[in-house]
Amino acid sequence: MSDNQFSMNSISDKFKSLWNSFPFMVKSIISATLIFYLMSWFSFMAPVLRGIINIPYTTIFNFYIWTIFTTFLVTPSLLNIIFAFMSWVPGAMILERETGSTRFIMNLITRSAIIQVIYIVVSLFLALLFGKGALQLPSTGLWPLIMGDITINCQSNPDRDYIFLFVNFPIKGKYYPWVLIAFFTILNFNLQFDLVCGVIFGYMYVYKLKDYIEYQNDTVLRAENSTIFSCMVNSESYIKIQNISGGGYSFGNSSNESKLKESENNHNAK
């Protein structure tokens, strides 16, 4: 075997090992994002993608309500995908292992839907001020969710110093999300209102929503044993609720093992 073949095999083995280390839902979201991105290369796939993306006008007036749940899977820019994966994947892997695959995807879809509803409301307001063109601006990809997560983490530690990119200049957590918004505005030459909506959601979660949108263990157990998840739970990378490494609550909420065991016992008794 030549050195080149050995090197290629070694890289392939490392890639497979890395891929296999990803939990189920993180792998699924990465795969779906890349598939939809490749689909965007072909013009005949445009109607399909438009049926998945939250464009406020079509979501409201064509009743494409499902797009508020699916739009985070479509990112039309490869550069945005790369930076989104770099920012999102490490924390998402930890979160899925700590909360389980079922709760992870339920929380993610719920947060995405809330952010998209906020975006639709903001778009309607902007349409009143600047015209109907504001309703044609899509919200896509993981960045609104990422901005929401960043805001939640920053508000949990508002006086902690965060380092902006590779610049050795500390920024207090309470200001950090807005520094990122300013950076993306300069980088893209426009203000991305869906990212602002992600920040708004972060504040809403910390100060109001946290106690209302977290799924209880018995709800997660019922979902995990439902038909929807039946084709997923047998995958080796799928993390069932009984195998989670944390307490089952996202964003650093305290663990509650007794509640988990009680929910499991009640479910088994049924």
Side-chain angles (χ1 to χ4, degrees):
M1 182 182 294
S2 67
D3 291 341
N4 287 339
Q5 288 177 318
F6 180 80
S7 178
M8 290 300 294
N9 288 337
S10 177
I11 293 172
S12 176
D13 290 341
K14 288 180 179 178
F15 179 80
K16 289 178 181 177
S17 177
L18 176 64
W19 182 250
N20 290 333
S21 70
F22 291 173
F24 183 88
M25 289 302 174
V26 171
K27 283 198 292 189
S28 299
I29 292 169
I30 292 173
S31 300
T33 299
L34 294 176
I35 289 170
F36 287 132
Y37 171 71
L38 293 175
M39 288 171 60
S40 71
W41 291 3
F42 304 98
S43 58
F44 66 89
M45 298 303 299
V48 176
L49 294 177
R50 284 180 66 86
I52 301 172
I53 294 171
N54 178 23
I55 303 171
Y57 184 89
T58 56
T59 301
I60 298 169
F61 297 105
N62 293 347
F63 302 104
Y64 283 19
I65 305 301
W66 61 85
T67 61
I68 67 174
F69 302 102
T70 59
T71 196
F72 73 91
L73 295 171
V74 183
T75 305
S77 165
L78 181 59
L79 191 61
N80 281 347
I81 290 175
I82 293 171
F83 281 111
F85 284 172
M86 289 172 60
S87 302
W88 177 76
V89 168
M93 290 173 63
I94 294 172
L95 190 60
E96 184 171 350
R97 292 190 183 110
E98 289 182 347
T99 64
S101 297
T102 309
R103 176 181 273 112
F104 174 82
I105 195 63
M106 290 170 69
N107 281 338
L108 187 146
I109 291 174
T110 300
R111 297 198 305 273
S112 178
I114 294 172
I115 291 171
Q116 295 307 316
V117 169
I118 296 170
Y119 180 67
I120 290 172
V121 172
V122 170
S123 297
L124 287 169
F125 176 74
L126 293 174
L128 292 174
L129 296 178
F130 304 109
K132 294 182 180 179
L135 295 175
Q136 298 292 345
L137 299 175
S139 172
T140 58
L142 288 165
W143 271 110
L145 279 163
I146 293 171
M147 290 304 302
D149 289 353
I150 289 173
T151 304
I152 291 167
N153 290 329
C154 287
Q155 291 305 305
S156 299
N157 300 280
D159 293 320
R160 174 186 170 186
D161 288 332
Y162 289 79
I163 301 300
F164 177 64
L165 297 179
F166 303 107
V167 181
N168 190 20
F169 184 78
I171 301 170
K172 294 295 182 184
K174 54 189 172 185
Y175 306 122
Y176 188 68
W178 298 109
V179 171
L180 287 178
I181 292 291
F183 171 75
F184 285 123
T185 300
I186 295 170
L187 187 67
N188 297 315
F189 298 103
N190 66 354
L191 176 60
Q192 293 181 252
F193 287 100
D194 58 343
L195 301 189
V196 176
C197 293
V199 174
I200 292 171
F201 166 77
Y203 286 119
M204 291 174 62
Y205 179 90
V206 170
Y207 295 110
K208 194 67 177 178
L209 294 177
K210 179 168 60 177
D211 296 329
Y212 299 98
I213 64 171
E214 291 294 332
Y215 292 98
Q216 298 299 316
N217 288 319
D218 55 350
T219 303
V220 176
L221 281 167
R222 285 197 298 270
E224 196 166 277
N225 289 279
S226 68
T227 304
I228 296 174
F229 289 94
S230 61
C231 59
M232 309 177 195
V233 294
N234 292 324
S235 170
E236 291 184 2
S237 60
Y238 197 96
I239 302 172
K240 296 182 179 180
I241 190 170
Q242 63 263 32
N243 297 326
I244 59 177
S245 59
Y249 296 90
S250 63
F251 299 122
N253 287 333
S254 60
S255 63
N256 194 329
E257 297 294 342
S258 61
K259 281 188 178 181
L260 174 57
K261 291 178 181 178
E262 181 182 349
S263 296
E264 289 175 348
N265 292 335
N266 290 339
H267 182 269
N268 292 334
K270 293 176 183 178

